[in-house]
Amino acid sequence: MMEASAGNGLVVEGISLGFGGLQVLSDVSMSLRPGVITGLIGPNGAGKTSLFNCLTGLYHGQRGRSSFAGTALNGLGPAQRAACGITRSFQNLAMCPDLSLLENVLVGLTLKRRSGWFSAFVPTPAQRVEQQEAERRAIAALNELGIGAFAHDKPSDLPPGTLRLAEIARAIACDPRAILLDEPAAGLNAVETRDLMRALRRLMRPDLVLLVVEHDMDLIMELCEQIYVLNFGKMIASGTPAEIRAQPDVIRVYLGDDADD
Ligand SMILES: Nc1ncnc2c1ncn2[C@@H]1O[C@H](COP(=O)(O)OP(=O)(O)OP(=O)(O)O)[C@@H](O)[C@H]1O
Ligand SMILES: [Mg+2]
């Protein structure tokens, strides 16, 4: 299981994280390879979001190391990791309700723009070109996710499946090298979940790291080539879907936990 030495992916080695007396992650290692959709599963409270937050720099383990494409990430916060090309979605939808989908995607892009917010009021010609380029990229991202037709709609008028795709559009508009998704299928119906899976497969590229965190085992089995299983803060298994399916520890955890999935 401890193969976290791949140089070109997103790698964590020996991460331990505790809050007060509560040990949330214990000596966890994981290696996310480019070009592969990696899944992280585990029952509620297993530590999936905590590990996710360690990858994005929101949490910092008391022990362990992380790196991306060979560059050490230790001590880097979310903004610095985003600058390295690591982008994320939130377990709960995080869209500005008063902005259109297009504007929501542009907010993500504006954070990366060279000119400051002041130029929004007094744009120079160069800044206008930059704004047009940002809009072009935002529209291309919405189209890539198949939701370009809703670009000018407000989040409150759209179903959860479309909003989830819009969140991913916001992530890809920034041209990331790694996309980390925490429970992207939460709150989606079966049709929306299918659309989401199709969209994720479509945006996969050989140089992209893609992590999907879920507690829906079936979804992860169908979508991912590489799967990690977390339980009570410990990585209990990793491998291909077939390998994971055959692991007695995984069967034990999921037989006891299937009821709420
Ligand atoms: N900031 C924090 N302070 C204290 N405890 C925390 C914090 N973040 C997470 N925890 C605890 O860590 C444990 C793991 O939580 P985490 O949210 O990582 O689980 P999860 O696998 O994502 O669960 P779910 O499937 O419900 O999303 C829980 O006991 C949780 O209460
Ligand atoms: Mg979680």
Side-chain angles (χ1 to χ4, degrees):
M1 189 191 312
M2 298 295 135
E3 83 263 39
S5 54
N8 59 349
L10 181 52
V11 178
V12 292
E13 290 175 290
I15 295 276
S16 292
L17 176 73
F19 295 103
L22 181 69
Q23 195 62 32
V24 172
L25 297 172
S26 306
D27 195 20
V28 167
S29 297
M30 183 163 66
S31 171
L32 312 178
R33 284 179 281 136
V36 171
I37 306 183
T38 305
L40 173 63
I41 54 173
N44 293 122
K48 303 183 295 299
T49 298
S50 300
L51 177 54
F52 187 92
N53 287 340
C54 288
L55 291 169
T56 61
L58 205 57
Y59 291 173
H60 295 279
Q62 281 88 26
R63 293 199 4 229
R65 330 181 260 163
S66 50
S67 64
F68 184 42
T71 302
L73 293 175
N74 280 31
L76 300 189
Q80 291 158 308
R81 292 190 193 205
C84 295
I86 301 173
T87 178
R88 64 167 298 170
S89 74
F90 289 86
Q91 186 164 348
N92 300 313
L93 281 165
M95 287 265 141
C96 297
D98 297 328
L99 302 180
S100 69
L101 284 198
L102 177 60
E103 289 163 337
N104 265 287
V105 175
L106 279 168
V107 168
L109 273 174
T110 307
L111 296 174
K112 284 195 86 180
R113 280 169 62 191
R114 283 184 303 278
S115 45
W117 59 268
F118 184 72
S119 65
F121 300 99
V122 196
T124 64
Q127 286 158 345
R128 236 176 270 127
V129 168
E130 200 183 354
Q131 176 67 18
Q132 282 164 359
E133 168 60 14
E135 277 192 32
R136 192 197 57 73
R137 281 172 58 182
I139 289 168
L142 289 168
N143 285 336
E144 192 172 344
L145 274 298
I147 53 171
F150 308 110
H152 300 290
D153 293 348
K154 294 264 160 64
S156 55
D157 297 329
L158 295 166
T162 307
L163 299 182
R164 203 41 103 175
L165 293 172
E167 273 206 331
I168 297 168
R170 184 164 59 187
I172 65 166
C174 299
D175 200 18
R177 295 156 68 204
I179 302 179
L180 313 177
L181 305 173
D182 194 4
E183 301 216 21
L188 304 194
N189 64 33
V191 174
E192 291 172 328
T193 302
R194 281 274 112 224
D195 287 348
L196 172 77
M197 287 167 68
R198 212 172 298 131
L200 292 179
R201 277 201 204 97
R202 221 173 30 229
L203 65 86
M204 201 53 211
R205 304 187 308 257
D207 58 346
L208 182 70
V209 166
L210 179 54
L211 173 70
V212 181
V213 175
E214 271 293 338
H215 57 245
D216 182 339
M217 175 109 146
D218 293 337
L219 186 153
I220 289 291
M221 287 284 177
E222 203 181 319
L223 183 67
C224 300
E225 259 178 76
Q226 175 76 11
I227 299 172
Y228 287 86
V229 187
L230 204 55
N231 190 37
F232 289 116
K234 293 199 169 71
M235 203 62 94
I236 59 167
S238 72
T240 64
E243 288 164 349
I244 292 294
R245 226 179 249 118
Q247 282 266 344
D249 280 351
V250 178
I251 295 166
R252 211 170 301 122
V253 166
Y254 268 86
L255 279 180
D257 188 66
D258 253 353
D260 68 344
D261 276 352

Coordinates of all heavy atoms in Angstrom, one line a residue, residues 48-49 91 182-183, ligand 2:
K48 N -12.0 11.3 5.4 CA -11.8 11.6 4.0 C -11.6 13.1 3.8 O -10.7 13.6 3.1 CB -13.0 11.1 3.1 CG -13.2 9.6 3.3 CD -14.4 9.2 2.4 CE -15.7 9.8 2.7 NZ -16.2 9.4 4.0
T49 N -12.5 13.9 4.3 CA -12.4 15.4 4.1 C -11.2 15.9 4.8 O -10.5 16.8 4.3 CB -13.7 16.0 4.6 OG1 -14.8 15.6 3.8 CG2 -13.6 17.6 4.5
Q91 N -17.4 20.1 -0.2 CA -18.4 19.0 0.0 C -19.8 19.6 -0.1 O -20.7 19.0 -0.7 CB -18.2 18.3 1.3 CG -19.2 17.1 1.5 CD -18.7 16.3 2.7 OE1 -17.6 16.4 3.2 NE2 -19.6 15.3 3.1
D182 N -14.6 16.8 -3.4 CA -15.1 16.2 -2.2 C -16.6 15.9 -2.4 O -17.4 16.8 -2.4 CB -14.8 17.1 -1.0 CG -15.0 16.3 0.3 OD1 -15.3 15.1 0.3 OD2 -14.9 16.9 1.4
E183 N -16.9 14.6 -2.5 CA -18.3 14.2 -2.6 C -19.1 14.9 -3.7 O -20.1 15.6 -3.5 CB -19.1 14.2 -1.3 CG -18.4 13.4 -0.3 CD -19.3 12.7 0.7 OE1 -20.5 12.6 0.3 OE2 -18.9 12.3 1.8
Ligands
MG2 MG -16.3 14.4 4.3

